[in-house]
Amino acid sequence: TESGCLSIVVLGASGDLAKKKTFPALFHLFQQGFLQSEEVHIFGYARSNLSDDGLRDRIRGYLKGASDEHVSQFLQLIKYVSGSYDSGEGFELLNKTISEYETSKNSESRSSRRLFYLALPPSVYPSVCRMIRSYCMNPSSHTGWTRVIVEKPFGKDLDSAEKLSAELGKLFGEEQLYRIDHYLGKELVQNLLVLRFANRLFLPLWNRDNIANVQIVFKEDFGTEGRGGYFDQYGIIRDIIQNHLLQVFCLVAMEKPVSLKPEHIRDEKVKVLQSVEPINHEEVVIGQYDGYKDDSTVPDDSNTPTYASIVLRVHNERWEGVPFILKAGKALNSRKAEIRVQFKDAPGDIFKCKKQGRNEFVIRLQPSEAMYMKLTVKKPGLEMATEQSELDLSYGMRYQDVKIPEAYERLILDTIRGDQQHFVRRDELRAAWEIFTPLLHDIDAGKLKSVSYEPGTRGPQEADEMSRRMGYVQTHGYVWVPPTLA
Ligand code: BG6
């Protein structure tokens, strides 16, 4: 519905994030027809001295699954401007370049929509935002807009995050700032609200009366190769748990929002975060894989966790007594992310099901997106015996012709449309840091020690023991195998 020129500016255009995520996401949008208008222009900005073609060549290799012609068409949209991140000169030039494209096609109205994507380290956010504010804003005060997408890490703890928020808050209104957490762009994460609140089946079950425990799990089967220096300053809790897994937690645990308005949804997320009790250090296991410190950019005495399992407890009527186990690790035995909602045992069991396992509702975020409910059924055949089976909604089977969009692609489109539902609000960020800051400070001070684990394993045994202590019952001898097309 909006019209006027759309200028998308990727700052940090020659960096890793831009090449691997931002430009490919823009390309996918382009392929689906979203950016194919004479009014759309894409600009890359970075310090390196490059020509337009120089930048295009760097990006080309990351644009897959399309004809050369299509790729070239998209690349032609991209112009490069070089300059530093803290001097007026570069940003003046950027503004001049954007304006030239805006006016050449659309001279009578000065309406423009300007989207700035900061694919940059957070240390330069304040200066870059100041520069945008001083030199590059949409020139019209009554039509169009200027929006800024920022990436985590938003600070390292509560104080630094609040400081950053305050600095950016002086320059841009909350409605102009889009704090991206790409987990909120994943298909099955976006499905959580629908699943929970549009299905009568789940409404009466989703509480402490029926649910024994919830696990939110992230596993990667590779280490921190190549980014150990960055990672060591943050660790797995800041890299994955405080943002990605906590966002998923909010959607699993929050109450029903008044409506689907972004503010209503985010209000509920803040509320559930504020209901989380202070983390008990007895309910935390942190680990570091053997070999992590071989990376020359990692200090020899690093205590930085590459694995953590943390129990969150929600102090409200729905969840009192139900442990939420948030677990994330690098260099483990597999790569996957999933939510596991484990139900209590059926009371008065006459089948001796207990040994076989409980009902467990699993939402597999990636790979092989799926939802499945583990059930006890009669084993088919002449004998009266029971076994674990599942109701399985595997997306690859059920939605064979649907291409599931990439998280970044969806979130960039949301920004263009002005929908902040899937972005992190300032008070939400604050509440998230409030939960983890005391623990992080104690880890940084060495009060909690990372136990070591072998790469390629499940991670520290201590974490499995803790899950058992929390009442999680693992089903032995049952493995869900993603179905494949014959
Ligand atoms: C990033 C983390 O935010 O998410 C990385 O910094 C991690 O360490 C990545 O590998 C995982 O994202 P995805 O979408 O592959 O699960």
Side-chain angles (χ1 to χ4, degrees):
T1 54
E2 280 183 316
S3 65
C5 286
L6 173 63
S7 305
I8 300 173
V9 185
V10 181
L11 298 121
S14 52
D16 242 31
L17 179 68
K19 283 188 297 199
K20 290 188 184 150
K21 300 285 180 191
T22 321
F23 285 115
L26 290 171
F27 178 57
H28 289 145
L29 290 175
F30 174 81
Q31 281 185 299
Q32 292 164 75
F34 286 106
L35 307 177
Q36 297 192 13
S37 142
E38 295 193 332
E39 298 190 320
V40 180
H41 299 282
I42 302 175
F43 303 88
Y45 185 94
R47 284 179 304 202
S48 346
N49 209 346
L50 281 177
S51 63
D52 290 352
D53 279 337
L55 177 66
R56 291 170 186 151
D57 287 342
R58 288 195 183 192
I59 300 169
R60 198 184 306 270
Y62 294 92
L63 309 179
K64 298 199 182 82
S67 67
D68 288 353
E69 197 193 326
H70 222 143
V71 170
S72 300
Q73 261 177 28
F74 169 74
L75 289 174
Q76 282 313 307
L77 279 182
I78 306 176
K79 283 66 124 174
Y80 182 69
V81 179
S82 110
S84 76
Y85 294 123
D86 55 3
S87 81
E89 257 173 41
F91 284 85
E92 254 177 305
L93 177 63
L94 177 61
N95 184 55
K96 197 166 147 271
T97 316
I98 299 173
S99 305
E100 274 165 20
Y101 285 96
E102 283 175 344
T103 47
S104 63
K105 290 285 176 219
N106 197 1
S107 44
E108 73 227 59
S109 88
R110 297 246 291 150
S111 160
S112 66
R113 296 172 291 159
R114 295 186 174 187
L115 170 57
F116 294 89
Y117 193 114
L118 272 56
L120 292 168
S123 53
V124 301
Y125 286 179
S127 80
V128 167
C129 286
R130 262 196 306 279
M131 292 296 141
I132 296 173
R133 189 81 190 83
S134 312
Y135 297 101
C136 298
M137 299 295 282
N138 157 33
S140 161
S141 54
H142 34 265
T143 54
W145 43 254
T146 304
R147 292 176 188 149
V148 179
I149 301 183
V150 285
E151 272 276 349
K152 64 143 232 265
F154 310 114
K156 289 193 73 177
D157 60 6
L158 182 58
D159 286 350
S160 52
E162 279 290 290
K163 186 162 166 273
L164 182 63
S165 291
E167 281 179 275
L168 301 193
K170 275 189 235 142
L171 301 165
F172 295 103
E174 185 63 23
E175 75 292 349
Q176 294 178 297
L177 283 173
Y178 286 71
R179 292 180 199 85
I180 213 167
D181 183 310
H182 78 282
Y183 267 60
L184 291 176
K186 292 188 188 275
E187 182 66 39
L188 267 69
V189 175
Q190 298 209 334
N191 198 354
L192 282 167
L193 279 193
V194 183
L195 200 67
R196 280 192 57 198
F197 299 117
N199 290 291
R200 178 68 194 239
L201 173 69
F202 290 117
L203 294 176
L205 296 182
W206 212 258
N207 56 43
R208 63 193 299 271
D209 298 335
N210 303 290
I211 293 176
N213 55 71
V214 179
Q215 296 192 79
I216 302 173
V217 183
F218 168 97
K219 296 171 93 172
E220 262 176 358
D221 55 2
F222 48 90
T224 57
E225 295 88 1
R227 64 201 276 271
Y230 155 83
F231 188 88
D232 198 69
Q233 294 176 38
Y234 290 91
I236 197 82
I237 300 174
R238 292 181 178 96
D239 191 46
I240 304 286
I241 298 182
Q242 181 267 353
N243 34 67
H244 303 327
L245 297 194
L246 195 65
Q247 284 298 326
V248 174
F249 159 82
C250 284
L251 295 168
V252 171
M254 71 187 219
E255 297 299 313
K256 185 172 177 169
V258 175
S259 79
L260 290 178
K261 290 208 181 87
E263 295 324 317
H264 285 156
I265 293 171
R266 300 194 295 176
D267 288 346
E268 293 307 330
K269 289 166 77 181
V270 173
K271 271 198 238 163
V272 74
L273 289 175
Q274 289 174 337
S275 308
V276 173
E277 290 176 4
I279 293 169
N280 173 358
H281 291 188
E282 304 290 304
E283 298 184 344
V284 174
V285 173
I286 56 172
Q288 189 187 76
Y289 67 85
D290 290 339
Y292 169 71
K293 287 186 285 214
D294 296 348
D295 185 327
S296 60
T297 56
V298 172
D300 291 339
D301 60 351
S302 169
N303 184 41
T304 300
T306 59
Y307 179 99
S309 179
I310 298 173
V311 177
L312 297 187
R313 296 184 176 272
V314 185
H315 184 71
N316 68 14
E317 196 176 320
R318 184 185 295 275
W319 294 120
E320 179 92 65
V322 180
F324 285 80
I325 308 171
L326 272 52
K327 204 153 66 166
K330 299 252 175 199
L332 298 177
N333 55 350
S334 66
R335 172 177 176 263
K336 66 176 182 184
E338 63 189 15
I339 304 165
R340 294 184 162 265
V341 179
Q342 187 169 75
F343 290 87
K344 295 184 172 176
D345 292 323
D349 176 27
I350 51 173
F351 300 105
K352 304 193 175 64
C353 303
K354 233 182 212 157
K355 277 187 268 123
Q356 279 163 356
R358 291 170 156 180
N359 289 140
E360 197 166 340
F361 182 50
V362 183
I363 302 170
R364 169 71 74 91
L365 306 180
Q366 66 186 32
S368 310
E369 288 91 344
M371 289 176 230
Y372 57 96
M373 173 67 96
K374 285 169 34 182
L375 298 177
T376 302
V377 300
K378 179 187 167 301
K379 189 176 181 155
L382 288 175
E383 303 302 324
M384 183 44 158
T386 60
E387 69 168 9
Q388 279 284 92
S389 190
E390 70 280 314
L391 285 177
D392 185 343
L393 172 57
S394 278
Y395 277 42
M397 296 290 282
R398 180 66 176 75
Y399 299 111
Q400 286 173 30
D401 302 325
V402 182
K403 196 193 146 286
I404 296 180
E406 285 282 325
Y408 277 95
E409 169 182 342
R410 211 187 302 251
L411 295 174
I412 292 174
L413 190 60
D414 281 349
T415 311
I416 297 171
R417 292 172 166 166
D419 181 351
Q420 289 190 307
Q421 173 179 335
H422 303 293
F423 292 82
V424 182
R425 203 166 68 184
R426 181 172 170 176
D427 54 345
E428 204 181 330
L429 180 65
R430 186 192 158 86
W433 279 118
E434 274 172 347
I435 295 171
F436 290 100
T437 296
L439 173 67
L440 287 165
H441 283 175
D442 282 355
I443 295 173
D444 293 345
K447 288 187 200 161
L448 278 84
K449 295 265 181 267
S450 291
V451 295
S452 68
Y453 62 95
E454 278 291 312
T457 63
R458 286 179 53 82
Q461 277 174 15
E462 287 85 342
D464 281 340
E465 277 156 29
M466 184 173 77
S467 295
R468 271 197 292 280
R469 237 170 46 229
M470 293 303 129
Y472 179 71
V473 180
Q474 208 181 339
T475 318
H476 292 285
Y478 166 90
V479 188
W480 176 72
V481 184
T484 46
L485 298 169

